[in-house]
Amino acid sequence: MHAPNVMTAEHDLVSTFGLLMEAYNSLEKQLGASLEERVGVPHQWFEVMLRISRAEDGLVAMGSLAEQVALTGGGVTRMVDRMVVAGLVVRVPCGKDRRVVYAALTPEGTAVLEKAVAVHDANLRSVLSDFAEAELDELEATLLRLRSARLTA
């Protein structure tokens, strides 16, 4: 006895979302492995360092960092602990609120980030080399819309 086919026109979005997840997972695996091999940092550390470097005054509150990289507060704390031990990040207490702690890059972290950005940029150019400029623009616009999309039901 065969299971009924649930893949109908109403479920095409399920397949599309599945493709999005597969593409993400494939890219994450390839790009992450390259960063780890060539720079010595996991992809998630790279993302954290990048967000810190782009933040105002080079400081990101730990709670904000957790939201940006989709980790729990405890998860980001453990990751930053490892980055502190590696000499890439320091914790900076907030002068106005003792409950707030910021993460900031060390000079070594900045140097590692610069190398990682160059590697990541070259990898992305390689992966996306078959895409026309208009396709990349459309992809970016679509991803921006997806990032801000909200459930309506």
Side-chain angles (χ1 to χ4, degrees), residues 97-144:
D97 187 342
R98 294 182 322 176
R99 298 168 296 178
V100 177
V101 176
Y102 297 103
L105 292 175
T106 63
E108 182 181 348
T110 300
V112 168
L113 177 61
E114 288 173 3
K115 183 176 179 183
V117 166
V119 167
H120 198 57
D121 182 70
N123 289 340
L124 288 171
R125 289 181 187 282
S126 173
V127 166
L128 300 172
S129 64
D130 290 339
F131 286 73
E133 195 68 33
E135 290 175 306
L136 293 173
D137 291 343
E138 186 176 335
L139 176 62
E140 181 178 6
T142 300
L143 292 172
L144 288 169

Side-chain angles (χ1 to χ4, degrees), residues 3 9 15 46 48 53 64 70-71 80 83 96 106 116 124 129-130 135-136 143 150 153:
S15 294
F46 169 70
V48 166
S53 75
S64 175
L71 287 173
V80 168
M83 294 174 76
K96 298 177 184 175
T106 63
L124 288 171
S129 64
D130 290 339
E135 290 175 306
L136 293 173
L143 292 172
R150 301 290 179 252

